[in-house]
Amino acid sequence: MRRWLVCFLIALPSIGLGSTCYGTVADGRLEQGVQLSKDGPNFAAYSTLGVQLGRTYVHDAVRDVVVATYRTLEQAAPGKTFVYGETGLAQGGPIRPHKTHQAGLSVDFMVPVLNAAAASVPLPGNVTNKFGYGIEFDKAGRFEDLRIDYEAMAEHLYQLSRTADLHKIGITRVIFDPVLTPPLFATRRGAYLRQHLHFMKERPWIRHDEHYHVDFAVACR
């Protein structure tokens, strides 16, 4: 009995502990990070290899918001396909080539797209196009026979914001190519996005045309 109790007490610190972030998204680290699910009914990771290499870890509060939002979108945006990109490492810290993504609070979401038949399809990702990050959309939001599905993107951001608020963590920043932002604000959810989300107005160091970067608001130590 005594031996069992000692073993239980030793194991107790690792039971039910949530994630803890330290520092900032640009200079931070993460403890007890969790990995996002590789896929679901209406979403998938940008790369199986990226998942295997451990590049899709987040703070557990962020995981809960991302997954709950995808569940909501099954009803709010039926038939739409969503893809998430890189997030961070299990322990946080630098993750090349990103300048942030260090505290488990940053998530890249690949833009939802429509094909020539106006069907929602995942953004194609492979080694030759840097798993989607190498795709370049033109000023009209087009790439080959694909075009950005701004309505689906706006609905995703709207539901992500509402879900984050419900989980009491919020969203601090969204980064998306300023040239492509006006069509996003012209959608059904555009007025809400403009009023409730902070879109970085400065031109990012890379275009952020094939993905939109979201930083979540979690108190870090």
Side-chain angles (χ1 to χ4, degrees):
M1 179 66 178
R2 180 176 296 177
R3 179 177 297 176
W4 177 89
L5 181 60
V6 170
C7 291
F8 175 79
L9 291 175
I10 291 174
L12 188 60
S14 64
I15 297 176
L17 287 182
S19 302
T20 303
C21 56
Y22 296 84
T24 68
V25 295
D27 183 15
R29 62 186 178 89
L30 179 67
E31 290 184 357
Q32 301 294 327
V34 296
Q35 193 166 32
L36 287 174
S37 300
K38 183 173 69 68
D39 53 34
N42 61 346
F43 74 93
Y46 74 113
S47 160
T48 299
L49 178 60
V51 172
Q52 294 172 343
L53 292 176
R55 298 176 68 88
T56 57
Y57 277 82
V58 292
H59 191 288
D60 59 2
V62 172
R63 183 271 316 273
D64 293 345
V65 169
V66 171
V67 173
T69 298
Y70 284 135
R71 286 199 297 267
T72 300
L73 288 168
E74 291 181 46
Q75 300 298 321
K80 298 298 184 180
T81 299
F82 298 92
V83 177
Y84 70 85
E86 298 199 313
T87 60
L89 303 175
Q91 72 281 5
I95 173 172
R96 292 185 175 183
H98 305 278
K99 289 189 174 181
T100 57
H101 291 256
Q102 294 195 25
L105 310 183
S106 304
V107 180
D108 284 348
F109 295 100
M110 314 311 284
V111 292
V113 293
L114 300 171
N115 64 14
S120 180
V121 295
L123 188 72
N126 50 58
V127 174
T128 60
N129 66 18
K130 299 179 181 178
F131 301 102
Y133 281 93
I135 290 174
E136 291 288 333
F137 285 88
D138 64 21
K139 293 180 180 180
R142 293 182 176 274
F143 168 75
E144 296 180 352
D145 66 339
L146 301 175
R147 57 187 172 92
I148 297 175
D149 187 349
Y150 286 106
E151 288 290 346
M153 178 179 169
E155 188 67 31
H156 177 230
L157 282 169
Y158 169 78
Q159 297 296 345
L160 198 67
S161 174
R162 294 291 300 274
T163 304
D165 287 344
L166 287 173
H167 286 246
K168 302 186 185 304
I169 68 172
I171 291 173
T172 59
R173 180 176 64 167
V174 178
I175 303 176
F176 187 55
D177 187 346
V179 173
L180 300 177
T181 301
L184 181 66
F185 289 156
T187 60
R188 184 170 70 96
R189 300 297 193 187
Y192 176 94
L193 302 184
R194 188 189 295 271
Q195 181 178 355
H196 291 87
L197 293 179
H198 170 67
F199 283 77
M200 191 175 82
K201 294 180 173 59
E202 302 81 8
R203 185 175 295 277
W205 72 286
I206 59 172
R207 277 193 65 203
H208 285 74
D209 57 313
E210 77 293 323
H211 77 278
Y212 43 109
H213 169 110
V214 176
D215 286 329
F216 291 88
V218 176
C220 293
R221 297 183 180 179

